[in-house]
Amino acid sequence: MNAGQMADVLIIGAGAAGLAAARTLSLEGATVLILEARERIGGRILSLRAAAAPLPVELGAEFIYGRPHGLMEVVNADGLQIFELSQDHWLAQHGELRLDGVLGQLNAERSMERIFRVREGYDAICDFLLRSSPGVKLQLKSIVTDVRWRPGKVEVVTRTAASERVFRARRLIVTLPLGVFKAKFGSEGAVRFSPPLAEKQLAANGLEMGSVFKITFRFRTPFWQDRLNLGFVHAPGEAVPTWWGTQPLRSALLTGWAEGASATTLLGSGRQHAVEQALVSLSRIMAVGVEALGEKLECWYFHDWQSDPFSRGAYSYVVAEGLSDQKKLATPIADTLFFAGEALNDQGLSGTVDGAIETGVRAADEVLQGMQRRFGRAA
């Protein structure tokens, strides 16, 4: 087991929360090392670039809701382009499509309901956060297995394909997804804390990870655009009940979404069967035969976040009477362990990238406050 380097702060996870924390710390002069299990940054942001697609396919997070401060600061600083998706909401019933005037009017009246996409791909947000973090070091393909800590000292053990290493610091920011934090030690991606974080684990029971089935179909042509301006389509009762396009940007991409029990059923049926069920749902919505629709289909894109050992779910949600548990999970321990991630956002932004960024900045500010207090005593 090799001894790793010393840093002011270690961060577990190079998702939006971890990257935002690293940037905030590094801009204040702290030395930061991020440990990431995957071979890429971004966490549950995963943008796929295909030569035939007019914009990146988002296998994970896709939308910016409204104009949140944290995200818009990055968008503006990096000169990224965002475009607003069509607010046309269609209701599919009895083989017919009709505009849902109630939902459309509601969204028009609530500016916070406006939905945007990043033209360059959502992962451009993560790239900027890392690129604008002076001196931050990143270790990819480093699976954290153990965290040994006491006040003022942390040792993090990682496993790579070649060896195990130990990294040391005075402070650690944990940005593990909720599903990974709750995973039993011994399962892939799970982390053992010594001494255990019993109160944190108890608080985690007040939150759960949601199941999502999300699939993007790429057709040879956008055949639907001759008869409707496709924003969002809602088809209650279908296996995949929600679909959207890329309007006003013209493309041959359609994305389907199912969550909760429907998603669990689809994911449990096997990938090929799930894709077939999605195609059947879309054929009924579009009033196009399944075989005819299949002939128009060029390819499909999908990532199973539930079976991914480094996410174990798509997004978090609070169970009954669990609101206080978010604050308990986010509370630092002994000016040594700090916590961030979308699941810990108690300002109504859980499940969003902006929520993750906000908690990362918050955790970094808490670390900086502790560092300033320590410097004051030493002086």
Side-chain angles (χ1 to χ4, degrees):
M1 185 177 294
N2 299 321
Q5 66 194 80
M6 183 73 175
D8 291 330
V9 185
L10 293 174
I11 298 177
I12 299 177
L19 293 171
R23 180 172 185 263
T24 302
L25 290 165
S26 67
L27 291 175
E28 294 296 325
T31 58
V32 180
L33 172 63
I34 307 175
L35 302 170
E36 168 56 48
R38 294 185 172 94
E39 59 184 13
R40 60 173 180 84
I41 65 172
R44 282 165 282 166
I45 294 174
L46 180 54
S47 305
L48 179 65
R49 289 163 179 82
L55 76 167
V57 174
E58 302 293 0
L59 299 181
E62 181 169 348
F63 301 138
I64 296 176
Y65 298 95
R67 291 180 174 271
H69 173 74
L71 272 175
M72 293 310 299
E73 180 183 16
V74 174
V75 167
N76 295 330
D78 203 28
L80 299 176
Q81 302 177 49
I82 63 171
F83 64 94
E84 184 173 2
L85 271 70
S86 169
Q87 286 297 306
D88 285 345
H89 286 260
W90 297 82
L91 185 63
Q93 286 184 321
H94 312 300
E96 295 183 353
L97 282 169
R98 62 179 176 83
L99 278 172
D100 189 331
V102 174
L103 186 54
Q105 181 64 27
L106 181 64
N107 287 333
E109 292 174 353
R110 297 181 178 178
S111 60
M112 66 178 294
E113 297 290 337
R114 297 171 65 189
I115 297 175
F116 299 84
R117 276 196 62 171
V118 181
R119 180 66 180 82
E120 295 85 351
Y122 223 143
D123 62 355
I125 299 288
C126 299
D127 290 340
F128 173 81
L129 289 174
L130 182 60
R131 193 172 67 249
S132 60
S133 301
V136 167
K137 295 184 178 180
L138 172 67
Q139 293 279 343
L140 296 175
K141 295 188 288 187
S142 296
I143 302 172
V144 174
T145 60
D146 288 88
V147 174
R148 301 188 289 259
W149 68 278
R150 64 174 186 264
K153 183 177 181 179
V154 178
E155 292 184 342
V156 177
V157 181
T158 67
R159 172 173 56 83
T160 66
S163 64
E164 288 188 344
R165 299 184 67 183
V166 179
F167 298 89
R168 297 181 175 86
R170 292 190 176 91
R171 294 173 176 86
L172 169 70
I173 298 178
V174 179
T175 73
L176 293 170
L178 177 68
V180 177
F181 184 77
K182 296 176 69 170
K184 293 183 179 180
F185 183 73
S187 56
E188 182 71 8
V191 178
R192 176 171 55 189
F193 290 83
S194 303
L197 307 182
E199 292 185 2
K200 297 290 185 185
Q201 292 291 346
L202 184 62
N205 292 333
L207 295 90
E208 293 293 344
M209 288 295 281
S211 294
V212 164
F213 173 79
K214 179 184 181 184
I215 188 166
T216 297
F217 288 147
R218 191 180 84 210
F219 294 93
R220 290 183 173 82
T221 62
F223 62 89
W224 57 89
Q225 291 188 355
D226 292 336
R227 62 189 180 98
L228 76 159
N229 176 36
L230 183 62
F232 291 82
V233 178
H234 309 277
E238 288 291 345
V240 182
T242 304
W243 293 82
W244 60 84
T246 62
Q247 292 281 34
L249 182 67
R250 181 180 174 87
S251 80
L253 299 175
L254 286 180
T255 297
W257 172 280
E259 59 184 348
S262 297
T264 301
T265 299
L266 282 166
L267 293 167
S269 65
R271 177 173 296 196
Q272 188 59 42
H273 182 70
V275 173
E276 292 171 358
Q277 288 298 300
L279 201 62
V280 168
S281 291
L282 187 59
S283 74
R284 285 198 282 254
I285 291 170
M286 294 294 186
V288 177
V290 176
E291 290 188 5
L293 191 62
E295 290 174 357
K296 299 176 186 292
L297 182 63
E298 202 163 54
C299 62
W300 50 269
Y301 311 93
F302 164 75
H303 184 81
D304 186 353
W305 295 102
Q306 283 63 230
S307 64
D308 185 328
F310 305 123
S311 61
R312 295 180 176 267
Y315 63 92
S316 69
Y317 64 93
V318 180
V319 300
E321 301 181 358
L323 288 174
S324 63
D325 292 318
Q326 288 178 304
K327 291 185 178 180
K328 292 177 182 176
L329 279 171
T331 302
I333 299 177
D335 191 27
T336 303
L337 300 183
F338 301 81
F339 303 87
E342 55 87 8
L344 279 60
N345 187 289
D346 60 357
Q347 303 300 311
L349 295 174
S350 61
T352 69
V353 175
D354 191 53
I357 289 175
E358 187 277 333
T359 63
V361 173
R362 181 182 66 195
D365 287 341
E366 291 168 343
V367 169
L368 291 170
Q369 291 169 13
M371 294 175 71
Q372 290 168 358
R373 287 193 299 268
R374 183 176 182 275
F375 178 81
R377 286 195 299 269

mmCIF file of all heavy atoms in Angstrom, residues 10-35:
data_model
loop_
_atom_site.group_PDB
_atom_site.id
_atom_site.type_symbol
_atom_site.label_atom_id
_atom_site.label_comp_id
_atom_site.label_asym_id
_atom_site.label_seq_id
_atom_site.Cartn_x
_atom_site.Cartn_y
_atom_site.Cartn_z
ATOM 1 N N LEU A 10 -9.068 16.933 0.808
ATOM 2 C CA LEU A 10 -9.397 15.856 -0.116
ATOM 3 C C LEU A 10 -10.884 15.936 -0.443
ATOM 4 O O LEU A 10 -11.693 16.311 0.409
ATOM 5 C CB LEU A 10 -9.087 14.490 0.499
ATOM 6 C CG LEU A 10 -7.622 14.152 0.764
ATOM 7 C CD1 LEU A 10 -7.521 12.826 1.512
ATOM 8 C CD2 LEU A 10 -6.837 14.096 -0.534
ATOM 9 N N ILE A 11 -11.234 15.569 -1.649
ATOM 10 C CA ILE A 11 -12.639 15.530 -2.058
ATOM 11 C C ILE A 11 -12.917 14.177 -2.688
ATOM 12 O O ILE A 11 -12.180 13.747 -3.581
ATOM 13 C CB ILE A 11 -12.977 16.650 -3.062
ATOM 14 C CG1 ILE A 11 -12.769 18.025 -2.420
ATOM 15 C CG2 ILE A 11 -14.418 16.511 -3.558
ATOM 16 C CD1 ILE A 11 -13.012 19.187 -3.375
ATOM 17 N N ILE A 12 -13.957 13.510 -2.217
ATOM 18 C CA ILE A 12 -14.386 12.262 -2.828
ATOM 19 C C ILE A 12 -15.481 12.585 -3.837
ATOM 20 O O ILE A 12 -16.569 13.024 -3.468
ATOM 21 C CB ILE A 12 -14.916 11.261 -1.787
ATOM 22 C CG1 ILE A 12 -13.821 10.907 -0.775
ATOM 23 C CG2 ILE A 12 -15.423 9.996 -2.471
ATOM 24 C CD1 ILE A 12 -14.304 9.968 0.331
ATOM 25 N N GLY A 13 -15.185 12.369 -5.113
ATOM 26 C CA GLY A 13 -16.186 12.550 -6.149
ATOM 27 C C GLY A 13 -15.949 13.763 -7.022
ATOM 28 O O GLY A 13 -15.819 14.885 -6.521
ATOM 29 N N ALA A 14 -15.895 13.543 -8.342
ATOM 30 C CA ALA A 14 -15.687 14.633 -9.306
ATOM 31 C C ALA A 14 -16.966 14.922 -10.082
ATOM 32 O O ALA A 14 -16.930 15.197 -11.283
ATOM 33 C CB ALA A 14 -14.555 14.291 -10.262
ATOM 34 N N GLY A 15 -18.106 14.855 -9.377
ATOM 35 C CA GLY A 15 -19.356 15.322 -9.956
ATOM 36 C C GLY A 15 -19.459 16.827 -9.782
ATOM 37 O O GLY A 15 -18.497 17.502 -9.393
ATOM 38 N N ALA A 16 -20.644 17.372 -10.059
ATOM 39 C CA ALA A 16 -20.816 18.821 -9.993
ATOM 40 C C ALA A 16 -20.513 19.368 -8.608
ATOM 41 O O ALA A 16 -19.894 20.430 -8.468
ATOM 42 C CB ALA A 16 -22.239 19.193 -10.419
ATOM 43 N N ALA A 17 -20.929 18.660 -7.559
ATOM 44 C CA ALA A 17 -20.696 19.139 -6.194
ATOM 45 C C ALA A 17 -19.204 19.161 -5.865
ATOM 46 O O ALA A 17 -18.679 20.150 -5.341
ATOM 47 C CB ALA A 17 -21.450 18.267 -5.189
ATOM 48 N N GLY A 18 -18.513 18.072 -6.166
ATOM 49 C CA GLY A 18 -17.090 18.008 -5.865
ATOM 50 C C GLY A 18 -16.280 19.013 -6.651
ATOM 51 O O GLY A 18 -15.355 19.646 -6.118
ATOM 52 N N LEU A 19 -16.619 19.196 -7.916
ATOM 53 C CA LEU A 19 -15.892 20.156 -8.745
ATOM 54 C C LEU A 19 -16.143 21.588 -8.308
ATOM 55 O O LEU A 19 -15.227 22.423 -8.303
ATOM 56 C CB LEU A 19 -16.301 19.980 -10.208
ATOM 57 C CG LEU A 19 -15.884 18.658 -10.857
ATOM 58 C CD1 LEU A 19 -16.539 18.508 -12.221
ATOM 59 C CD2 LEU A 19 -14.369 18.554 -10.979
ATOM 60 N N ALA A 20 -17.390 21.890 -7.909
ATOM 61 C CA ALA A 20 -17.693 23.239 -7.426
ATOM 62 C C ALA A 20 -16.957 23.525 -6.124
ATOM 63 O O ALA A 20 -16.452 24.633 -5.913
ATOM 64 C CB ALA A 20 -19.202 23.397 -7.226
ATOM 65 N N ALA A 21 -16.880 22.519 -5.255
ATOM 66 C CA ALA A 21 -16.142 22.691 -4.003
ATOM 67 C C ALA A 21 -14.658 22.913 -4.272
ATOM 68 O O ALA A 21 -14.024 23.789 -3.675
ATOM 69 C CB ALA A 21 -16.347 21.462 -3.114
ATOM 70 N N ALA A 22 -14.111 22.124 -5.186
ATOM 71 C CA ALA A 22 -12.686 22.243 -5.501
ATOM 72 C C ALA A 22 -12.359 23.623 -6.064
ATOM 73 O O ALA A 22 -11.342 24.231 -5.705
ATOM 74 C CB ALA A 22 -12.290 21.162 -6.500
ATOM 75 N N ARG A 23 -13.211 24.115 -6.934
ATOM 76 C CA ARG A 23 -12.969 25.432 -7.531
ATOM 77 C C ARG A 23 -13.006 26.520 -6.465
ATOM 78 O O ARG A 23 -12.135 27.409 -6.430
ATOM 79 C CB ARG A 23 -14.014 25.709 -8.611
ATOM 80 C CG ARG A 23 -13.841 27.061 -9.297
ATOM 81 C CD ARG A 23 -14.786 27.177 -10.481
ATOM 82 N NE ARG A 23 -14.565 28.412 -11.224
ATOM 83 C CZ ARG A 23 -15.279 29.522 -11.062
ATOM 84 N NH1 ARG A 23 -16.289 29.545 -10.199
ATOM 85 N NH2 ARG A 23 -15.010 30.595 -11.780
ATOM 86 N N THR A 24 -13.995 26.475 -5.603
ATOM 87 C CA THR A 24 -14.120 27.487 -4.550
ATOM 88 C C THR A 24 -12.894 27.484 -3.646
ATOM 89 O O THR A 24 -12.356 28.544 -3.304
ATOM 90 C CB THR A 24 -15.391 27.236 -3.721
ATOM 91 O OG1 THR A 24 -16.532 27.248 -4.589
ATOM 92 C CG2 THR A 24 -15.569 28.300 -2.650
ATOM 93 N N LEU A 25 -12.446 26.302 -3.269
ATOM 94 C CA LEU A 25 -11.277 26.186 -2.388
ATOM 95 C C LEU A 25 -9.996 26.650 -3.085
ATOM 96 O O LEU A 25 -9.187 27.375 -2.501
ATOM 97 C CB LEU A 25 -11.126 24.740 -1.923
ATOM 98 C CG LEU A 25 -12.177 24.232 -0.943
ATOM 99 C CD1 LEU A 25 -12.125 22.713 -0.848
ATOM 100 C CD2 LEU A 25 -11.974 24.855 0.437
ATOM 101 N N SER A 26 -9.808 26.217 -4.317
ATOM 102 C CA SER A 26 -8.559 26.532 -5.011
ATOM 103 C C SER A 26 -8.424 28.027 -5.288
ATOM 104 O O SER A 26 -7.311 28.563 -5.260
ATOM 105 C CB SER A 26 -8.482 25.746 -6.327
ATOM 106 O OG SER A 26 -9.476 26.179 -7.241
ATOM 107 N N LEU A 27 -9.529 28.686 -5.550
ATOM 108 C CA LEU A 27 -9.480 30.125 -5.788
ATOM 109 C C LEU A 27 -9.093 30.900 -4.533
ATOM 110 O O LEU A 27 -8.695 32.066 -4.615
ATOM 111 C CB LEU A 27 -10.831 30.623 -6.316
ATOM 112 C CG LEU A 27 -11.191 30.158 -7.736
ATOM 113 C CD1 LEU A 27 -12.592 30.602 -8.111
ATOM 114 C CD2 LEU A 27 -10.180 30.684 -8.753
ATOM 115 N N GLU A 28 -9.212 30.246 -3.369
ATOM 116 C CA GLU A 28 -8.782 30.856 -2.110
ATOM 117 C C GLU A 28 -7.395 30.381 -1.694
ATOM 118 O O GLU A 28 -6.954 30.654 -0.579
ATOM 119 C CB GLU A 28 -9.799 30.541 -1.002
ATOM 120 C CG GLU A 28 -11.160 31.187 -1.214
ATOM 121 C CD GLU A 28 -11.091 32.695 -1.179
ATOM 122 O OE1 GLU A 28 -10.277 33.239 -0.406
ATOM 123 O OE2 GLU A 28 -11.844 33.353 -1.932
ATOM 124 N N GLY A 29 -6.739 29.624 -2.568
ATOM 125 C CA GLY A 29 -5.356 29.225 -2.302
ATOM 126 C C GLY A 29 -5.167 27.887 -1.635
ATOM 127 O O GLY A 29 -4.024 27.501 -1.349
ATOM 128 N N ALA A 30 -6.236 27.149 -1.374
ATOM 129 C CA ALA A 30 -6.109 25.839 -0.734
ATOM 130 C C ALA A 30 -5.628 24.804 -1.754
ATOM 131 O O ALA A 30 -5.958 24.877 -2.940
ATOM 132 C CB ALA A 30 -7.442 25.410 -0.146
ATOM 133 N N THR A 31 -4.830 23.849 -1.295
ATOM 134 C CA THR A 31 -4.421 22.743 -2.151
ATOM 135 C C THR A 31 -5.487 21.649 -2.059
ATOM 136 O O THR A 31 -5.906 21.262 -0.966
ATOM 137 C CB THR A 31 -3.056 22.182 -1.735
ATOM 138 O OG1 THR A 31 -3.111 21.743 -0.370
ATOM 139 C CG2 THR A 31 -1.980 23.243 -1.870
ATOM 140 N N VAL A 32 -5.915 21.156 -3.215
ATOM 141 C CA VAL A 32 -7.053 20.241 -3.285
ATOM 142 C C VAL A 32 -6.716 19.045 -4.157
ATOM 143 O O VAL A 32 -6.109 19.194 -5.226
ATOM 144 C CB VAL A 32 -8.301 20.951 -3.860
ATOM 145 C CG1 VAL A 32 -9.482 19.994 -3.927
ATOM 146 C CG2 VAL A 32 -8.645 22.183 -3.044
ATOM 147 N N LEU A 33 -7.124 17.864 -3.708
ATOM 148 C CA LEU A 33 -7.003 16.644 -4.497
ATOM 149 C C LEU A 33 -8.372 15.978 -4.554
ATOM 150 O O LEU A 33 -8.992 15.716 -3.519
ATOM 151 C CB LEU A 33 -5.980 15.687 -3.880
ATOM 152 C CG LEU A 33 -5.893 14.288 -4.497
ATOM 153 C CD1 LEU A 33 -5.437 14.375 -5.953
ATOM 154 C CD2 LEU A 33 -4.950 13.398 -3.692
ATOM 155 N N ILE A 34 -8.851 15.713 -5.779
ATOM 156 C CA ILE A 34 -10.131 15.036 -5.976
ATOM 157 C C ILE A 34 -9.875 13.573 -6.325
ATOM 158 O O ILE A 34 -9.054 13.266 -7.197
ATOM 159 C CB ILE A 34 -10.945 15.680 -7.116
ATOM 160 C CG1 ILE A 34 -11.089 17.185 -6.918
ATOM 161 C CG2 ILE A 34 -12.323 15.027 -7.219
ATOM 162 C CD1 ILE A 34 -11.782 17.882 -8.088
ATOM 163 N N LEU A 35 -10.592 12.686 -5.653
ATOM 164 C CA LEU A 35 -10.511 11.256 -5.918
ATOM 165 C C LEU A 35 -11.813 10.814 -6.570
ATOM 166 O O LEU A 35 -12.893 10.955 -5.989
ATOM 167 C CB LEU A 35 -10.279 10.486 -4.610
ATOM 168 C CG LEU A 35 -9.017 10.887 -3.835
ATOM 169 C CD1 LEU A 35 -9.012 10.244 -2.461
ATOM 170 C CD2 LEU A 35 -7.768 10.499 -4.621
#
